[in-house]
Amino acid sequence: MLKNYKVLKGTASALALDDDNDPHIEIRIEANGVSYRIALNVRSKMSPHDLLYANIVDFTHATLTEALEALPMGLTDIRRDRPELAIDYVRGGMIEREDMDVAPFQLSGPKNDLREFIEPIVEEGIANPDIHFYAFGEAWGPEHNKPDQYFDFEPGNGIHDIHMNQGDGGSFKATNGPNQDGALLVHFTETDEWAAIFLCFQSQNWNTDAETGHPVSENRGGQGRGEGTRRPQPIVASSLRIIAALINPVNGEGGIENETVTIINRSDISVSLDGWKLKDENGRTQTLSGRLAAGEIRTFALDAEAGGPQLANRGGDIILLNTDGAVADRVGYGKSETANEGWTTIF
């Protein structure tokens, strides 16, 4: 669980970009004569490294935004003083996993990476002090006799973990908890419009325990999100979609697991499968062949012995590539979707 779950209200005064193995967008915030720094993750330490994000330019949530507008400038302790302000991605109804897109930190081309969504709104805020920023996350400081490493103000203060803070495994599991997710909300006070930026890591599981925020264990069902997930990301237009997979089949003769992937042709014309491929997240592929009639659904057995995809019970992705090698569809699943042996996961 986060130790100091707070929200910071203030105005933007500077922007910096660190350049290391754990990059952030650093924003200097001013509030009642005190400087703070908010650190927005833009790349995950764990694979896959690209973050999930939602950039909602016309954000509406009257209960929350009215309460935020009434807050004083500076830090507010959510857990101790204002628990009703807590954000929970999984249970709060404010954001859905399907609302989020995959975006790298920095990529050539227009409006396709996190910097191009976040930097302009910060720069607008720097130029206009009537734009107020609200950063939800873990607070640090004040760090006396220790100037801020990016903006050199003293004492160092700030907010980080401005992203989903549950569903983590491994070394980040200790910070899991419900009702403590991070976000960046922006209020354009002159027009009374709001924007919201939600961030999470692709490695985070959206099937979480309501008490601990930990990923649902492999021997438990999901909590309203027990099915697999279609990965939101830039994909080519395609009439073919992955709709199901048998990830944890009952062992057959000789202990062989006959994993399968089911594809639908949702168009009104027949589609050739020649040259299409199924791929797992580790790069193992299987080439498809034949045709799918309009509306046809077909289940394909995966041939692991021939080097084809293997569906790990711990969770993973299944990718459909077209004849050009472009991603036509990508779905994901966690441990909770593989808990019941012999059951088919629906996407």
Side-chain angles (χ1 to χ4, degrees):
M1 181 174 289
L2 299 184
K3 296 178 180 179
N4 298 297
Y5 182 48
K6 298 181 180 181
V7 57
L8 170 65
K9 177 180 179 179
T11 58
S13 63
L15 173 68
L17 302 171
D18 57 25
D19 186 18
D20 54 27
N21 292 329
D22 185 23
H24 293 74
I25 292 178
E26 312 287 351
I27 306 169
R28 179 169 177 169
I29 297 292
E30 311 297 337
N32 285 336
V34 179
S35 293
Y36 301 84
R37 172 167 56 89
I38 62 177
L40 283 170
N41 289 80
V42 290
R43 190 174 188 271
S44 172
K45 291 181 179 179
M46 297 178 62
S47 179
H49 298 293
D50 294 338
L51 265 64
L52 292 172
Y53 82 101
N55 178 35
I56 303 175
V57 296
D58 187 16
F59 179 72
T60 57
H61 192 295
T63 302
L64 177 62
T65 56
E66 289 175 9
L68 292 178
E69 189 175 3
L71 289 179
M73 291 288 186
L75 288 170
T76 295
D77 191 318
I78 297 176
R79 188 169 286 126
R80 185 186 66 188
D81 300 326
R82 299 296 300 273
E84 75 278 9
L85 299 179
I87 292 177
D88 190 306
Y89 284 23
V90 175
R91 298 163 191 86
M94 196 175 299
I95 186 71
E96 295 284 344
R97 171 65 173 75
E98 292 75 16
D99 296 331
M100 308 188 87
D101 293 315
V102 176
F105 164 50
Q106 191 170 5
L107 186 69
S108 60
K111 294 186 177 181
N112 58 1
D113 59 48
L114 282 175
R115 287 185 57 181
E116 290 175 333
F117 290 107
I118 295 174
E119 287 183 49
I121 200 169
V122 176
E123 291 168 347
E124 186 177 355
I126 293 171
N128 183 357
D130 289 325
I131 297 175
H132 295 168
F133 290 76
Y134 298 81
F136 290 74
E138 174 85 335
W140 81 82
E143 298 176 325
H144 298 286
N145 301 316
K146 183 180 179 181
D148 182 79
Q149 68 181 106
Y150 294 99
F151 301 113
D152 206 36
F153 60 80
E154 190 178 334
N157 287 288
I159 294 277
H160 65 139
D161 290 339
I162 307 172
H163 49 67
M164 181 173 167
N165 290 304
Q166 58 183 306
D168 276 306
S171 59
F172 297 100
K173 188 174 181 179
T175 59
N176 284 336
N179 300 308
Q180 59 161 30
D181 289 328
L184 180 65
L185 272 63
V186 185
H187 186 202
F188 302 86
T189 61
E190 294 173 325
T191 58
D192 197 26
E193 295 175 308
W194 289 79
I197 296 171
F198 299 98
L199 300 169
C200 81
F201 302 110
Q202 293 189 64
S203 57
Q204 289 175 302
N205 192 330
W206 285 61
N207 298 303
T208 63
D209 185 274
E211 297 296 327
T212 67
H214 294 326
V216 174
S217 63
E218 59 185 356
N219 60 353
R220 292 180 55 188
Q223 297 184 352
R225 297 172 185 269
E227 306 299 352
T229 303
R230 188 168 308 283
R231 298 296 195 203
Q233 65 174 51
I235 57 176
V236 297
S238 172
S239 61
L240 303 185
R241 287 288 185 266
I242 300 169
I243 60 170
L246 180 55
I247 299 163
N248 184 16
V250 176
N251 288 351
E253 186 176 348
I256 296 175
E257 290 193 344
N258 297 310
E259 298 172 339
T260 66
V261 173
T262 301
I263 297 174
I264 185 173
N265 173 13
R266 58 194 184 125
S267 76
D268 60 352
I269 60 173
S270 175
V271 175
S272 172
L273 291 173
D274 293 342
W276 286 68
K277 293 180 180 180
L278 285 170
K279 185 173 77 168
D280 64 21
E281 59 183 10
N282 293 314
R284 294 177 289 246
T285 63
Q286 179 170 325
T287 302
L288 307 179
S289 62
R291 301 190 70 86
L292 276 183
E296 182 181 355
I297 297 172
R298 187 180 303 172
T299 297
F300 296 87
L302 300 184
D303 191 354
E305 291 187 355
Q310 298 177 35
L311 308 182
N313 290 349
R314 68 179 181 277
D317 280 14
I318 309 168
I319 303 161
L320 179 65
L321 303 176
N322 68 11
T323 55
D324 296 323
V327 176
D329 198 19
R330 182 172 185 150
V331 296
Y333 62 92
K335 284 184 178 180
S336 62
E337 283 80 64
T338 69
N340 296 323
E341 189 178 37
W343 281 60
T344 297
T345 297
I346 304 298
F347 300 101

